[in-house]
Amino acid sequence: MQKKNSFRNSNKILIIVIALIALIAIFAGTSLGFNWPIKFSSGNTQTNQNSQSSGSNVGQLQNLAPIAKTNWSNARQIDFSGSLTSASCVTASFCVGVDSFGNIYTESNGIWSTGQNIGSGYSSMSCASITFCIAVNGNGYEYTYRDGIWSKIRQLNSSFRSLSCPTTNFCVGVGGFIANSTSQVDMNGYEYTYLNGVWSKGQQIEPTVGGLSFVSCSSASFCVVADGNGTEYTYRNGRWLTGQNISFSGLLNSVSCPTTNFCVATDSDGYEYTYSKGIWSKGQQIDTDTKIGGLNSVSCSTANFCVAVGTDGYEYTYSKGVWSKGQQIDNNYGGFSSVSCPTSKFCMSIGLPNDYANIYTYSDNVWSKGRQVGAMLNSVSCPTVNFCAATASYGNIYIYSDGTWSLGDQVSPWAGSISCPTTNFCITLSDNIEYTYFDGVWSNAILISNSRILNSISCPTASFCMAVGNNGYEYTYSNNIWSQGQQIENSVNFNSVSCPTINFCMALSSGGYSFIYNDGVWSKGQKIVEGFKTVSCPTANFCIAVDNSGNDYIYSDASWHLGHIIQSNANANAIITYAACATASFCMAVGSLGYEYTYSKNIWSTGQKIGYNFLNSISCPTTNFCIAVGNNGYEYTYSNS
């Protein structure tokens, strides 16, 4: 629950700058404000006018949203050489994407691999399990993925527009032309069956020239194929049935069948058609903006959950018989070409060829919109999901209780690092002074050090705290009494400390040294890196530290190990300022430019922009709840309940 305050001086300067700007605004007869575009689920753009953000509004609660958050992630560019053409997700932690240059990308537990080139441009792919996938290209070649290895190239009788593999022994491919034919004989009306490793010669199931465009198989005994004339063809128990025209207005672009009794098909005019117990519905137009191209893809994980995406960047969710209004999740690029939903909690969608190969993820893990609770929040500490305390540069302290923030009590001229081991006890630092929160009341100023600045504090219990600061000093709080101070090392300045127990603390210096407090004794300093920013230790056997370059260092088995570069290329300029770990397998880090990074199962996420402001601190009492705070007084709540 510690907090590093290396930004204390810059925050004070920023306060003066804001005050001067406010005076200029008063004399000029103007007011300060910012317009943030907010996207609502209806797809309409509205404007939210921020109120003036200066010292005059400290303590005024405002539900302001500097960045609109949805259940969809921001775009992540994983392919820099070509456009992604198809993606398949078997589980929420395993997806495979292919592009027009023959590269294959694998996603595992939120991390995308670099592209592996195994052929030329791909037209479709399908994964039946995390150990089996098939990818096909426009020239009639097929590649099989088994147990982590892609096979050598294999030439088929035709190229495919679409492919579906419900099991590792059964697939159906449709569309395309005869491979290596100088005349490229149109085979759009043919289907090809993959059975136990062997492809059939092809069977013509569509007599017209509309072309089979998409196939979906829920099992080896049930498939549905859609064509360019609005006709569907059903495969049941080894036999193809006569085609049935279900769309009289547009081209059928996609179909998804999670079971043998339920399917959804979409067309170019924004209509969806539902197949239930052997009967197709008349069609419902869920995307009314047909000028751009309608619905391109649909994916259903169950008969109660589907997601459809279109060329205008909107997505539509089907839940328990009802389609939602459109939600624009890609408003900067070129819409979507494909979506895959292995569960009702997770979907992956890829952008069209002019969308720079961006990936969008749908997940229950959602950050709230920003709420302005004060001005320039420096530190936050949350012992439970129902109680947090945040400090501000003006000396105000804000209490979060059961989802509501207080108006803020000014307890000091300036408030920095804070630590709350319980809902009834907190201690905050203000240079060399501390203030204690007990049963809802803040104490008067208590002098800890005569001259030395204290930068960070950590309290594992209400009877034990550790504070560290400049010139290598530490001060111990035990049973309501502060020690006189002990100089551990005179040549270092401590900027972060974390104590998971009363017998273990980890202190880091701005010069890259680590010091361990074990059963009342401090170790000698160990040089790890050029400089540290922050450290968090959920246990005495595990810590995560972040250096000045955004790398993480993991302390386990009594030694330090270099981990990963946390920032991705897209946000390489973002500085990591703070990290908090609820457990040894879950941490979150925040920093400048409003980014947060999640550490789960030894892997950091690529970074999610949750706000526009500088984030100074974060606290995570559980793996399902965190609160981050930053400049301009905004807080952001993470909830995965």
Side-chain angles (χ1 to χ4, degrees):
M1 308 294 181
Q2 72 287 354
K3 173 69 182 82
K4 180 185 77 64
N5 286 298
S6 63
F7 303 101
R8 173 175 51 85
N9 292 331
S10 62
N11 277 344
K12 289 181 176 178
I13 295 172
L14 187 56
I15 296 170
I16 298 172
V17 172
I18 289 176
L20 291 174
I21 293 174
L23 289 174
I24 294 171
I26 292 172
F27 285 114
T30 61
S31 60
L32 300 176
F34 301 93
N35 292 327
W36 303 106
I38 309 302
K39 305 297 180 187
F40 294 90
S41 60
S42 62
N44 296 325
T45 303
Q46 299 186 7
T47 302
N48 187 14
Q49 182 71 29
N50 265 3
S51 63
Q52 187 170 330
S53 179
S54 66
S56 61
N57 69 348
V58 174
Q60 296 178 5
L61 292 178
Q62 301 181 50
N63 282 318
L64 302 179
I67 190 167
K69 302 312 296 176
T70 69
N71 283 21
W72 286 91
S73 69
N74 292 329
R76 285 190 291 173
Q77 188 174 8
I78 64 169
D79 176 12
F80 295 90
S81 61
S83 59
L84 293 170
T85 55
S86 184
S88 181
C89 298
V90 185
T91 69
S93 56
F94 181 86
C95 299
V96 176
V98 295
D99 73 9
S100 57
F101 281 83
N103 296 305
I104 290 182
Y105 303 83
T106 303
E107 186 263 356
S108 179
N109 295 316
I111 303 298
W112 284 95
S113 68
T114 56
Q116 177 186 1
N117 189 279
I118 62 171
S120 57
Y122 296 105
S123 56
S124 185
M125 74 162 308
S126 182
C127 298
S129 70
I130 62 174
T131 60
F132 180 86
C133 301
I134 288 183
V136 293
N137 68 14
N139 295 321
Y141 290 97
E142 169 248 10
Y143 303 83
T144 304
Y145 174 86
R146 290 184 184 274
D147 298 322
I149 300 174
W150 285 95
S151 69
K152 294 181 180 180
I153 189 172
R154 178 165 65 160
Q155 187 173 355
L156 306 178
N157 294 321
S158 171
S159 63
F160 296 147
R161 286 182 179 177
S162 181
L163 176 69
S164 180
C165 301
T167 72
T168 59
N169 295 316
F170 181 87
C171 301
V172 169
V174 297
F177 57 86
I178 296 177
N180 292 334
S181 171
T182 56
S183 59
Q184 292 190 353
V185 178
D186 193 351
M187 303 295 285
N188 284 337
Y190 281 73
E191 69 82 22
Y192 300 82
T193 304
Y194 173 92
L195 186 62
N196 296 324
V198 180
W199 285 97
S200 67
K201 293 183 178 181
Q203 176 184 357
Q204 187 174 11
I205 62 174
E206 181 205 34
T208 62
V209 195
L212 303 177
S213 56
F214 206 87
V215 60
S216 179
C217 301
S218 62
S219 69
S221 61
F222 183 85
C223 300
V224 170
V225 173
D227 78 358
N229 291 322
T231 303
E232 68 82 21
Y233 300 84
T234 302
Y235 174 88
R236 190 183 293 276
N237 297 324
R239 185 170 65 93
W240 286 97
L241 305 180
T242 304
Q244 177 184 357
N245 193 280
I246 61 173
S247 171
F248 295 94
S249 58
L251 161 71
L252 288 176
N253 289 327
S254 181
V255 64
S256 180
C257 303
T259 72
T260 58
N261 293 315
F262 182 86
C263 300
V264 169
T266 57
D267 71 12
S268 56
D269 283 343
Y271 281 82
E272 68 81 22
Y273 305 85
T274 304
Y275 173 88
S276 179
K277 298 178 181 179
I279 300 175
W280 284 95
S281 67
K282 293 182 179 180
Q284 174 187 0
Q285 190 174 30
I286 58 175
D287 180 5
T288 57
D289 186 8
T290 57
K291 295 180 181 179
I292 302 180
L295 300 170
N296 274 345
S297 181
V298 63
S299 180
C300 302
S301 59
T302 68
N304 292 317
F305 182 86
C306 303
V307 168
V309 294
T311 53
D312 53 1
Y314 280 80
E315 70 85 20
Y316 304 83
T317 303
Y318 174 88
S319 179
K320 298 178 181 179
V322 179
W323 284 95
S324 69
K325 294 180 180 180
Q327 176 183 207
Q328 190 174 22
I329 56 176
D330 176 16
N331 57 353
N332 296 318
Y333 302 104
F336 301 107
S337 62
S338 180
V339 64
S340 179
C341 302
T343 73
S344 61
K345 305 287 186 182
F346 181 88
C347 297
M348 186 79 70
S349 184
I350 62 175
L352 286 168
N354 60 338
D355 200 7
Y356 304 102
N358 281 309
I359 287 284
Y360 296 79
T361 306
Y362 168 91
S363 176
D364 269 356
N365 300 339
V366 180
W367 280 93
S368 69
K369 296 177 181 179
R371 286 188 293 180
Q372 191 173 22
V373 299
M376 281 174 283
L377 299 175
N378 291 323
S379 180
V380 64
S381 181
C382 304
T384 71
V385 298
N386 296 316
F387 181 90
C388 301
T391 63
S393 294
Y394 289 101
N396 288 69
I397 297 180
Y398 303 85
I399 303 297
Y400 173 90
S401 179
D402 295 326
T404 303
W405 285 95
S406 68
L407 295 179
D409 297 322
Q410 187 167 13
V411 299
S412 67
W414 184 86
S417 180
I418 190 170
S419 183
C420 303
T422 72
T423 60
N424 294 318
F425 182 87
C426 302
I427 288 183
T428 184
L429 300 178
S430 178
D431 291 339
N432 59 340
I433 296 172
E434 69 93 351
Y435 299 83
T436 303
Y437 175 88
F438 185 72
D439 285 339
V441 180
W442 285 98
S443 70
N444 294 324
I446 300 174
L447 185 67
I448 302 178
S449 169
N450 289 327
S451 59
R452 299 174 187 91
I453 301 297
L454 300 175
N455 295 322
S456 182
I457 186 171
S458 181
C459 304
T461 70
S463 59
F464 180 88
C465 298
M466 183 71 69
V468 296
N470 293 347
N471 303 119
Y473 273 83
E474 66 85 8
Y475 297 83
T476 305
Y477 175 90
S478 179
N479 296 320
N480 300 324
I481 298 175
W482 283 97
S483 66
Q484 293 182 352
Q486 175 185 357
Q487 190 175 34
I488 306 172
E489 175 67 48
N490 62 2
S491 61
V492 301
N493 290 323
F494 290 119
N495 56 7
S496 187
V497 65
S498 181
C499 304
T501 71
I502 63 174
N503 296 316
F504 180 90
C505 298
M506 179 72 71
L508 302 182
S509 75
S510 57
Y513 282 84
S514 75
F515 298 81
I516 297 174
Y517 174 89
N518 199 346
D519 292 329
V521 179
W522 283 96
S523 68
K524 293 183 179 180
Q526 180 184 0
K527 179 73 172 182
I528 308 298
V529 70
E530 290 305 313
F532 280 119
K533 288 285 187 181
T534 180
V535 65
S536 180
C537 305
T539 71
N541 297 316
F542 181 87
C543 300
I544 277 190
V546 182
D547 70 8
N548 294 337
S549 300
N551 302 302
D552 79 349
Y553 291 78
I554 297 175
Y555 175 86
S556 63
D557 298 326
S559 61
W560 285 99
H561 312 276
L562 175 62
H564 318 79
I565 298 176
I566 300 177
Q567 298 107 314
S568 64
N569 291 333
N571 47 42
N573 294 326
I575 301 171
I576 304 296
T577 56
Y578 202 80
C581 299
T583 67
S585 59
F586 181 88
C587 304
M588 280 197 174
V590 295
S592 63
L593 305 182
Y595 280 90
E596 72 84 15
Y597 309 82
T598 303
Y599 175 89
S600 178
K601 299 178 181 179
N602 300 321
I603 297 174
W604 285 97
S605 68
T606 55
Q608 177 184 2
K609 190 174 180 65
I610 63 173
Y612 287 100
N613 298 311
F614 201 109
L615 299 176
N616 291 324
S617 180
I618 188 171
S619 181
C620 301
T622 72
T623 59
N624 294 318
F625 182 87
C626 300
I627 281 187
V629 297
N631 289 352
N632 292 352
Y634 279 91
E635 70 83 23
Y636 302 85
T637 304
Y638 169 87
S639 178
N640 185 27
S641 56

